[in-house]
Amino acid sequence: ETGVTQTPRHLVMGMTNKKSLKCEQHLGHNAMYWYKQSAKKPLELMFVYSLEERVENNSVPSRFSPECPNSSHLFLHLHTLQPEDSALYLCASSQDLDRGTRGNQPQHFGDGTRLSIL
Amino acid sequence: AQSVAQPEDQVNVAEGNPLTVKCTYSVSGNPYLFWYVQYPNRGLQFLLKYITGDNLVKGSYGFEAEFNKSQTSFHLKKPSALVSDSALYFCAVRDPSGSARQLTFGSGTQLTVLP
């Protein structure tokens, strides 16, 4: 559909668990993003990768650890999460990093992982 | 700094009536502007964008948006709403002359089209 696939779609975990979210894009894009979407709040950009290099970390707590092994895959490793971390986590990709005139390309989003922390 | 505002959390419109979802922005230069739609349990889908040129931009599903530089607005419109248009709509802005490397999204507007 959108070319960006996220797994799992739903995840319930305890505060002491360790889990990972996976994102895969089949669009040949060079940039990938993690967003957090909470109810009644604007979309929060968490991390940005360009050509497997992390270029942005928007003051995200260390209990969230991203990994980008190649330009098609992006992971978000989770450990010791808090109840306030319950949210929809969205992955997106774009042709290039949103810089300069290349920023005119839209981002393509996956359907997200609904995370619930018990 | 770049910012975007969607002043309405909720917009209700009757099926068949025209709809407008409002967006205003703030950038130091000329903006790139985007509209996305999110259906329940789905990610955001790109609807349309304004980069340069004609102020009226046409996008997917019959939607269009008008760029108004003097009012710093980019309102989303559709001449005749469908019940299936009910969804959450996000406006986003990017200042290509600025230092920010990513889009800034609005807080979203929930559109409900009543049958």
Side-chain angles (χ1 to χ4, degrees):
Chain A
E1 295 210 12
T2 67
V4 180
T5 303
Q6 289 188 244
T7 54
R9 291 296 312 277
H10 302 273
L11 179 61
V12 179
M13 57 187 286
M15 293 170 61
T16 58
N17 291 155
K18 292 184 180 181
K19 296 286 185 182
S20 296
L21 310 185
K22 180 182 176 181
C23 176
E24 184 174 1
Q25 58 98 359
H26 308 277
L27 302 168
H29 289 168
N30 293 321
M32 296 187 77
Y33 312 78
W34 278 117
Y35 289 88
K36 177 183 179 182
Q37 186 178 25
S38 304
K40 309 293 184 184
K41 295 175 77 174
L43 215 58
E44 299 175 48
L45 179 64
M46 300 175 72
F47 301 103
V48 180
Y49 277 82
S50 176
L51 297 171
E52 301 113 62
E53 178 187 349
R54 190 191 311 178
V55 296
E56 198 89 19
N57 177 346
N58 282 352
S59 303
V60 179
S62 59
R63 57 186 183 268
F64 295 91
S65 175
E67 178 189 3
C68 188
N70 55 63
S71 58
S72 298
H73 293 86
L74 185 64
F75 295 90
L76 188 63
H77 304 300
L78 317 171
H79 65 95
T80 324
L81 294 192
Q82 304 299 310
E84 62 265 27
D85 298 324
S86 297
L88 181 68
Y89 289 83
L90 292 166
C91 174
S93 70
S94 64
Q95 181 62 50
D96 294 290
L97 192 64
D98 289 343
R99 175 189 297 165
T101 57
R102 291 178 173 178
N104 63 14
Q105 297 303 311
Q107 293 181 12
H108 295 252
F109 286 79
D111 286 336
T113 294
R114 175 71 61 186
L115 178 64
S116 299
I117 307 300
L118 301 178
Chain B
Q2 59 189 38
S3 65
V4 62
Q6 294 181 242
E8 301 158 317
D9 290 338
Q10 175 83 38
V11 170
N12 296 328
V13 64
E15 187 175 27
N17 283 3
L19 70 86
T20 299
V21 183
K22 296 179 180 178
C23 172
T24 59
Y25 66 89
S26 176
V27 298
S28 57
N30 294 315
Y32 294 158
L33 292 157
F34 302 80
W35 274 104
Y36 288 83
V37 60
Q38 185 178 30
Y39 298 100
N41 301 313
R42 301 296 301 275
L44 277 68
Q45 295 179 36
F46 168 71
L47 272 181
L48 52 80
K49 67 180 181 182
Y50 171 82
I51 302 302
T52 187
D54 194 348
N55 289 342
L56 185 64
V57 178
K58 295 187 183 298
S60 306
Y61 312 120
F63 283 94
E64 58 189 27
E66 186 169 11
F67 172 64
N68 188 317
K69 189 171 184 177
S70 62
Q71 296 185 8
T72 62
S73 67
F74 189 58
H75 300 331
L76 182 70
K77 300 182 180 183
K78 187 173 182 180
S80 178
L82 301 173
V83 172
S84 57
D85 293 329
S86 299
L88 187 58
Y89 289 81
F90 291 93
C91 183
V93 68
R94 167 79 171 86
D95 182 354
S97 62
S99 59
R101 303 196 212 190
Q102 64 276 343
L103 292 176
T104 297
F105 285 86
S107 54
T109 298
Q110 181 66 49
L111 172 68
T112 301
V113 181
L114 305 167

